[in-house]
Amino acid sequence: MRSSLAPGIWFLRAFSRDSKYRAYILLITFLIYTCYHMSRKPISVVKSRLHHNCSEVIQPLNSTHSLNDTTWCNWAPFDKSNYKELLGAVDNAFLVAYAIGMFISGIFGERLPLRYYLTAGMLLSGLFTSLFGLGYFWNIHVLWYFVLVQIFNGLVQTTGWPAVVSCVGNWFGKGKRGLIMGIWNSHTSVGNILGSLLAGVWVDQQWGLSFVVPGVITAIMGIITFFFLIEYPEDVDCAPPQHHGNPEESQDRPEDPANGPHCNKESSLESAVTCSKDASAQPTAISFFGALRIPGVVEFSLCLLFAKLVSYTFLYWLPLYIANVVHFTAKEAGDLSTLFDVGGIIGGILAGLVSDYINGRATTCCVMLILAAPMMFLYNHVGQSGIGISIVMLLICGALVNGPYALITTAVSADLGTHKSLKGNAKALSTVTAIIDGTGSIGAALGPLLAGLISPTGWNNVFYMLIAADVLACLLLCRLVYKEILAWKSSLGKDRGSNMALTHA
């Protein structure tokens, strides 16, 4: 069912060219998902404030704590020696709920109006993010409160990714996949950076505001989404996306009356659903197991599981690692950790450009994963020897770790979501995207949990775990890399044959 026209859009009618509307859709979906990630980040910055060495903190005059007490300023229940396990449990509550909810979210995203779905998701995300911070002002010291808030927040956060992917897909046909999607997908890193910087402002004073402020901003963006998001080009009398295929082939191939015109297998998230929405008949949603049968879905989903395990361990534990190893303050550690996300922006764009140039998504991911393993080893052993080295290595590690993650969740998801078996079904992309990102989110849950369990034995062991996950992610792509190499050889053979024919002629 076509959505109702969003209130407040009338002023854009004066600028009715399709390109301006599409640029507007890219911008608003970018801001939407930036807010989603911004609201996830504060916990990683505040961790080092919930438990730290209080010997350097001046006790208030009315304090009843011993002068030798080094935990008096910590926040119960994270003031005990098992604080890393407890913080890992808080992380895991969010990430397990997110992983489970993601598989369900794609199904709802296919059947509900995206504008309402995103608005509700952002309002609830803002609420639960703020509730975590309100625990400071309400003086709450029980673990179950923080775990419960994180569970609900994880569930409502799953409304974001499948919905923005589907919305972008409704508007865009084929184009420059890697560059545009690499830039668009930087919303993840931009959100992490903003979340870190905002949390850092209040982390050393009233850390509850580190959650409340991002939560309020996310809720406000939800209201903006309700009034200004346009789900379909037809809602504002824009032309559906044009698909640049072989016109003769398109004429010879009959159209599916239920799913719209046939689409090429080549795809992108910019084309995220490459076929236009049929005004007269609605496409049917693909089944869960039908999506799993699409070639490449299982391999890339499992690869993303391990790639996200590495990425989210850095996301949730890097500030605490920096604070513990370099002995920075919570704010300094949070600010320095943003360089990892800056590297992620660069890596996502490079991965998209390179994969477009060589026509090899799996190969690009595999090479970056291979390079990431030794870089993580070096960062752990020499990365903290100086601020200059630390900055450079954080940028490089961020690029190599987040590059494959960004490529799989955007261009690769769209390649698979617009497979020829889907016949351009716009509603199928939400399920395919949810399966890939949902599987990856299992790794996102495992990574911080394992880091919380392993870190008491030493940070070296955490990095060995990350390197092992990185290698496994690479190995899972071997079959697809082999297929891409065969395709390159076949293409070179055809080119040589054509050149020889021209020479003889």
Side-chain angles (χ1 to χ4, degrees), residues 258-454:
N259 297 314
H262 178 84
C263 299
N264 267 336
K265 182 178 179 179
E266 297 293 332
S267 59
S268 71
L269 185 54
E270 181 199 1
S271 67
V273 199
T274 56
C275 290
S276 62
K277 179 175 173 277
D278 193 316
S280 60
Q282 296 297 322
T284 57
I286 189 173
S287 69
F288 180 87
F289 293 103
L292 285 178
R293 288 195 293 268
I294 298 173
V297 166
V298 173
E299 289 94 334
F300 275 115
S301 296
L302 293 175
C303 174
L304 185 62
L305 186 152
F306 291 104
K308 243 184 165 180
L309 184 154
V310 177
S311 180
Y312 268 64
T313 302
F314 275 99
L315 172 68
Y316 281 90
W317 286 90
L318 181 59
L320 183 61
Y321 169 76
I322 294 173
N324 285 356
V325 175
V326 192
H327 306 295
F328 281 3
T329 66
K331 185 181 187 306
E332 291 170 341
D335 291 345
L336 185 61
S337 71
T338 61
L339 293 172
F340 183 84
D341 292 297
V342 173
I345 296 174
I346 299 170
I349 295 173
L350 283 177
L353 286 173
V354 171
S355 68
D356 279 349
Y357 182 76
I358 68 174
N359 194 27
R361 310 287 195 207
T363 304
T364 302
C365 290
C366 196
V367 170
M368 296 185 81
L369 290 168
I370 290 172
L371 295 175
M375 285 306 303
M376 286 189 287
F377 179 84
L378 290 174
Y379 173 69
N380 181 44
H381 284 82
V382 302
Q384 310 303 331
S385 59
I387 187 66
I389 295 176
S390 183
I391 290 173
V392 171
M393 298 199 74
L394 276 174
L395 289 170
I396 296 174
C397 285
L400 295 176
V401 168
N402 284 342
Y405 163 34
L407 187 63
I408 292 173
T409 55
T410 55
V412 169
S413 292
D415 287 345
L416 301 173
T418 54
H419 189 267
K420 62 183 180 181
S421 64
L422 300 177
K423 301 178 181 178
N425 185 348
K427 289 186 175 293
L429 185 66
S430 183
T431 297
V432 173
T433 302
I435 289 174
I436 294 174
D437 201 50
T439 305
S441 297
I442 296 174
L446 286 174
L449 173 64
L450 292 174
L453 296 174
I454 297 173

Side-chain angles (χ1 to χ4, degrees), residues 6 10 33 89 98 109 125 142 189 191 232 255 336 350 361 433 451 454:
W10 58 270
Y33 209 67
Y98 185 86
S125 293
V142 289
S189 296
Y232 300 106
E255 295 181 356
L336 185 61
L350 283 177
R361 310 287 195 207
T433 302
I454 297 173

Side-chain angles (χ1 to χ4, degrees), residues 50-253:
L50 296 176
H51 186 103
H52 64 123
N53 192 333
C54 303
S55 59
E56 299 176 359
V57 181
I58 300 175
Q59 293 192 23
L61 295 176
N62 59 350
S63 175
T64 59
H65 298 280
S66 167
L67 293 177
N68 296 324
D69 187 357
T70 60
T71 63
W72 68 268
C73 64
N74 293 328
W75 191 267
F78 308 106
D79 56 342
K80 308 301 181 185
S81 60
N82 65 339
Y83 73 99
K84 289 182 180 179
E85 289 87 342
L86 297 182
L87 290 172
V90 172
D91 288 341
N92 214 50
F94 174 92
L95 293 167
V96 169
Y98 185 86
I100 295 172
M102 183 58 72
F103 291 103
I104 304 171
S105 180
I107 298 172
F108 284 110
E110 293 174 355
R111 293 161 173 82
L112 297 175
L114 297 178
R115 184 161 61 90
Y116 300 152
Y117 194 50
L118 280 170
T119 297
M122 297 192 78
L123 289 173
L124 290 172
S125 293
L127 171 64
F128 289 116
T129 301
S130 298
L131 283 175
F132 195 102
L134 288 173
Y136 170 84
F137 299 102
W138 294 341
N139 204 30
I140 295 176
H141 295 279
V142 289
L143 182 64
W144 67 263
Y145 173 83
F146 298 104
V147 168
L148 194 62
V149 168
Q150 287 288 79
I151 290 173
F152 284 115
N153 199 12
L155 290 173
V156 298
Q157 282 265 334
T158 62
T159 58
W161 185 241
V164 295
V165 168
S166 294
C167 186
V168 170
N170 292 336
W171 278 85
F172 285 88
K174 293 181 180 295
K176 294 181 180 178
R177 303 169 180 87
L179 177 61
I180 293 177
M181 289 304 102
I183 295 172
W184 183 77
N185 191 60
S186 65
H187 48 47
T188 298
S189 296
V190 171
N192 291 341
I193 293 169
L194 289 176
S196 294
L197 295 177
L198 283 174
V201 174
W202 295 283
V203 66
D204 289 325
Q205 289 82 38
Q206 296 179 317
W207 62 259
L209 290 175
S210 297
F211 293 89
V212 173
V213 173
V216 170
I217 294 174
T218 302
I220 291 173
M221 191 63 207
I223 297 172
I224 293 172
T225 299
F226 176 79
F227 284 102
F228 295 100
L229 181 67
I230 312 169
E231 293 182 36
Y232 300 106
E234 298 91 333
D235 288 341
V236 285
D237 299 324
C238 283
Q242 299 297 316
H243 312 296
H244 309 292
N246 185 338
E248 294 180 2
E249 185 181 359
S250 298
Q251 291 174 2
D252 294 339
R253 187 180 291 116

Side-chain angles (χ1 to χ4, degrees), residues 256 327 467 478:
D256 188 322
H327 306 295
I467 292 170
C478 286

